[in-house]
mmCIF file of all heavy atoms in Angstrom:
data_model
loop_
_atom_site.group_PDB
_atom_site.id
_atom_site.type_symbol
_atom_site.label_atom_id
_atom_site.label_comp_id
_atom_site.label_asym_id
_atom_site.label_seq_id
_atom_site.Cartn_x
_atom_site.Cartn_y
_atom_site.Cartn_z
ATOM 1 N N ALA A 1295 -30.456 -37.374 56.255
ATOM 2 C CA ALA A 1295 -29.435 -36.633 57.198
ATOM 3 C C ALA A 1295 -28.133 -37.360 57.019
ATOM 4 O O ALA A 1295 -28.095 -38.570 56.749
ATOM 5 C CB ALA A 1295 -29.946 -36.748 58.660
ATOM 6 N N ALA A 1296 -27.054 -36.625 57.237
ATOM 7 C CA ALA A 1296 -25.725 -37.211 57.138
ATOM 8 C C ALA A 1296 -24.778 -36.256 58.089
ATOM 9 O O ALA A 1296 -25.000 -35.101 58.148
ATOM 10 C CB ALA A 1296 -25.157 -37.239 55.712
ATOM 11 N N ARG A 1297 -23.819 -36.953 58.526
ATOM 12 C CA ARG A 1297 -22.852 -36.261 59.516
ATOM 13 C C ARG A 1297 -21.586 -36.937 59.581
ATOM 14 O O ARG A 1297 -21.546 -38.220 59.433
ATOM 15 C CB ARG A 1297 -23.557 -36.272 60.951
ATOM 16 C CG ARG A 1297 -22.845 -35.432 61.966
ATOM 17 C CD ARG A 1297 -23.757 -35.310 63.166
ATOM 18 N NE ARG A 1297 -24.875 -34.480 62.874
ATOM 19 C CZ ARG A 1297 -26.044 -34.412 63.615
ATOM 20 N NH1 ARG A 1297 -26.208 -35.188 64.662
ATOM 21 N NH2 ARG A 1297 -26.983 -33.647 63.232
ATOM 22 N N THR A 1298 -20.578 -36.113 59.668
ATOM 23 C CA THR A 1298 -19.254 -36.743 59.897
ATOM 24 C C THR A 1298 -18.465 -36.278 61.133
ATOM 25 O O THR A 1298 -18.959 -35.178 61.640
ATOM 26 C CB THR A 1298 -18.205 -36.451 58.701
ATOM 27 O OG1 THR A 1298 -18.063 -35.058 58.633
ATOM 28 C CG2 THR A 1298 -18.613 -37.066 57.384
ATOM 29 N N VAL A 1299 -17.705 -37.128 61.739
ATOM 30 C CA VAL A 1299 -16.920 -36.784 62.957
ATOM 31 C C VAL A 1299 -15.337 -37.035 62.523
ATOM 32 O O VAL A 1299 -15.146 -38.116 62.214
ATOM 33 C CB VAL A 1299 -17.288 -37.574 64.202
ATOM 34 C CG1 VAL A 1299 -16.374 -37.095 65.372
ATOM 35 C CG2 VAL A 1299 -18.756 -37.429 64.439
ATOM 36 N N THR A 1300 -14.647 -36.052 62.643
ATOM 37 C CA THR A 1300 -13.143 -36.147 62.423
ATOM 38 C C THR A 1300 -12.342 -35.989 63.652
ATOM 39 O O THR A 1300 -12.504 -35.020 64.324
ATOM 40 C CB THR A 1300 -12.773 -35.138 61.219
ATOM 41 O OG1 THR A 1300 -13.701 -35.230 60.239
ATOM 42 C CG2 THR A 1300 -11.284 -35.296 60.866
ATOM 43 N N GLN A 1301 -11.375 -36.920 63.767
ATOM 44 C CA GLN A 1301 -10.403 -36.831 64.795
ATOM 45 C C GLN A 1301 -9.008 -36.857 64.375
ATOM 46 O O GLN A 1301 -8.760 -37.839 63.456
ATOM 47 C CB GLN A 1301 -10.648 -37.879 65.885
ATOM 48 C CG GLN A 1301 -11.819 -37.754 66.687
ATOM 49 C CD GLN A 1301 -11.905 -39.013 67.658
ATOM 50 O OE1 GLN A 1301 -11.425 -40.162 67.323
ATOM 51 N NE2 GLN A 1301 -12.338 -38.712 68.840
ATOM 52 N N VAL A 1302 -8.115 -35.980 64.662
ATOM 53 C CA VAL A 1302 -6.747 -36.058 64.210
ATOM 54 C C VAL A 1302 -5.780 -36.052 65.507
ATOM 55 O O VAL A 1302 -5.983 -35.370 66.474
ATOM 56 C CB VAL A 1302 -6.410 -34.709 63.350
ATOM 57 C CG1 VAL A 1302 -5.012 -34.828 62.950
ATOM 58 C CG2 VAL A 1302 -7.330 -34.736 62.329
ATOM 59 N N THR A 1303 -4.836 -37.083 65.392
ATOM 60 C CA THR A 1303 -3.763 -37.053 66.480
ATOM 61 C C THR A 1303 -2.564 -36.908 65.881
ATOM 62 O O THR A 1303 -2.430 -36.814 64.593
ATOM 63 C CB THR A 1303 -3.927 -38.483 67.143
ATOM 64 O OG1 THR A 1303 -3.372 -39.540 66.265
ATOM 65 C CG2 THR A 1303 -5.290 -38.788 67.772
ATOM 66 N N ASP A 1304 -1.306 -36.993 66.535
ATOM 67 C CA ASP A 1304 -0.039 -36.814 65.947
ATOM 68 C C ASP A 1304 0.208 -38.114 65.074
ATOM 69 O O ASP A 1304 1.111 -38.034 64.167
ATOM 70 C CB ASP A 1304 0.935 -36.913 67.044
ATOM 71 C CG ASP A 1304 0.987 -35.504 67.870
ATOM 72 O OD1 ASP A 1304 0.331 -34.575 67.337
ATOM 73 O OD2 ASP A 1304 1.427 -35.458 69.032
ATOM 74 N N ASP A 1305 -0.516 -39.286 65.264
ATOM 75 C CA ASP A 1305 -0.130 -40.497 64.638
ATOM 76 C C ASP A 1305 -1.240 -40.971 63.545
ATOM 77 O O ASP A 1305 -0.994 -41.890 62.812
ATOM 78 C CB ASP A 1305 0.042 -41.629 65.633
ATOM 79 C CG ASP A 1305 1.217 -41.261 66.528
ATOM 80 O OD1 ASP A 1305 2.118 -40.695 66.154
ATOM 81 O OD2 ASP A 1305 1.061 -41.646 67.750
ATOM 82 N N ALA A 1306 -2.428 -40.344 63.437
ATOM 83 C CA ALA A 1306 -3.396 -40.761 62.620
ATOM 84 C C ALA A 1306 -4.508 -39.821 62.507
ATOM 85 O O ALA A 1306 -4.594 -38.853 63.202
ATOM 86 C CB ALA A 1306 -4.021 -42.125 63.242
ATOM 87 N N VAL A 1307 -5.385 -40.022 61.489
ATOM 88 C CA VAL A 1307 -6.591 -39.339 61.389
ATOM 89 C C VAL A 1307 -7.821 -40.445 61.080
ATOM 90 O O VAL A 1307 -7.605 -41.401 60.532
ATOM 91 C CB VAL A 1307 -6.549 -38.391 60.124
ATOM 92 C CG1 VAL A 1307 -6.355 -39.137 58.862
ATOM 93 C CG2 VAL A 1307 -7.859 -37.584 60.019
ATOM 94 N N ALA A 1308 -8.819 -40.139 61.921
ATOM 95 C CA ALA A 1308 -9.941 -41.067 61.842
ATOM 96 C C ALA A 1308 -11.260 -40.207 61.495
ATOM 97 O O ALA A 1308 -11.582 -39.138 62.016
ATOM 98 C CB ALA A 1308 -10.255 -41.740 63.146
ATOM 99 N N VAL A 1309 -12.002 -40.638 60.542
ATOM 100 C CA VAL A 1309 -13.275 -40.084 60.074
ATOM 101 C C VAL A 1309 -14.461 -41.070 60.229
ATOM 102 O O VAL A 1309 -14.326 -42.202 59.700
ATOM 103 C CB VAL A 1309 -13.254 -39.412 58.764
ATOM 104 C CG1 VAL A 1309 -14.478 -38.788 58.345
ATOM 105 C CG2 VAL A 1309 -12.055 -38.614 58.490
ATOM 106 N N THR A 1310 -15.467 -40.727 60.999
ATOM 107 C CA THR A 1310 -16.603 -41.556 61.164
ATOM 108 C C THR A 1310 -17.809 -40.774 60.425
ATOM 109 O O THR A 1310 -17.951 -39.580 60.717
ATOM 110 C CB THR A 1310 -16.997 -41.998 62.448
ATOM 111 O OG1 THR A 1310 -15.930 -42.783 63.045
ATOM 112 C CG2 THR A 1310 -18.301 -42.798 62.589
ATOM 113 N N GLY A 1311 -18.473 -41.378 59.490
ATOM 114 C CA GLY A 1311 -19.560 -40.796 58.854
ATOM 115 C C GLY A 1311 -20.823 -41.558 59.020
ATOM 116 O O GLY A 1311 -20.828 -42.721 58.996
ATOM 117 N N PHE A 1312 -21.981 -40.975 59.069
ATOM 118 C CA PHE A 1312 -23.202 -41.509 59.232
ATOM 119 C C PHE A 1312 -24.198 -40.940 58.187
ATOM 120 O O PHE A 1312 -24.219 -39.794 57.985
ATOM 121 C CB PHE A 1312 -23.948 -41.348 60.662
ATOM 122 C CG PHE A 1312 -23.108 -41.843 61.677
ATOM 123 C CD1 PHE A 1312 -22.198 -40.972 62.467
ATOM 124 C CD2 PHE A 1312 -23.161 -43.198 62.171
ATOM 125 C CE1 PHE A 1312 -21.434 -41.423 63.498
ATOM 126 C CE2 PHE A 1312 -22.411 -43.595 63.202
ATOM 127 C CZ PHE A 1312 -21.597 -42.743 63.854
ATOM 128 N N VAL A 1313 -25.043 -41.765 57.526
ATOM 129 C CA VAL A 1313 -26.009 -41.345 56.589
ATOM 130 C C VAL A 1313 -27.301 -41.981 56.806
ATOM 131 O O VAL A 1313 -27.306 -43.289 56.969
ATOM 132 C CB VAL A 1313 -25.596 -41.390 55.168
ATOM 133 C CG1 VAL A 1313 -25.364 -42.894 54.720
ATOM 134 C CG2 VAL A 1313 -26.508 -40.660 54.231
ATOM 135 N N GLN A 1314 -28.385 -41.282 56.816
ATOM 136 C CA GLN A 1314 -29.750 -41.920 56.988
ATOM 137 C C GLN A 1314 -30.544 -41.723 55.739
ATOM 138 O O GLN A 1314 -30.657 -40.605 55.232
ATOM 139 C CB GLN A 1314 -30.612 -41.436 58.146
ATOM 140 C CG GLN A 1314 -31.940 -42.175 58.324
ATOM 141 C CD GLN A 1314 -32.758 -41.857 59.600
ATOM 142 O OE1 GLN A 1314 -32.559 -40.714 60.069
ATOM 143 N NE2 GLN A 1314 -33.583 -42.635 59.971
ATOM 144 N N THR A 1315 -30.987 -42.858 55.174
ATOM 145 C CA THR A 1315 -31.897 -42.798 54.000
ATOM 146 C C THR A 1315 -33.068 -43.564 54.391
ATOM 147 O O THR A 1315 -33.055 -44.847 54.520
ATOM 148 C CB THR A 1315 -31.140 -43.503 52.853
ATOM 149 O OG1 THR A 1315 -29.888 -42.990 52.721
ATOM 150 C CG2 THR A 1315 -31.915 -43.338 51.496
ATOM 151 N N ARG A 1316 -34.130 -42.894 54.651
ATOM 152 C CA ARG A 1316 -35.462 -43.407 55.279
ATOM 153 C C ARG A 1316 -35.059 -44.244 56.471
ATOM 154 O O ARG A 1316 -34.530 -43.716 57.446
ATOM 155 C CB ARG A 1316 -36.192 -44.090 54.222
ATOM 156 C CG ARG A 1316 -36.729 -42.995 53.107
ATOM 157 C CD ARG A 1316 -37.150 -43.632 51.816
ATOM 158 N NE ARG A 1316 -36.089 -44.236 51.003
ATOM 159 C CZ ARG A 1316 -35.189 -43.659 50.107
ATOM 160 N NH1 ARG A 1316 -35.242 -42.402 50.112
ATOM 161 N NH2 ARG A 1316 -34.391 -44.380 49.573
#
Side-chain angles (χ1 to χ4, degrees):
R1297 190 169 288 160
T1298 59
V1299 181
T1300 305
Q1301 290 180 324
V1302 181
T1303 67
D1304 292 340
D1305 302 326
V1307 58
V1309 181
T1310 295
F1312 301 96
V1313 63
Q1314 183 174 27
T1315 310
R1316 292 163 296 278

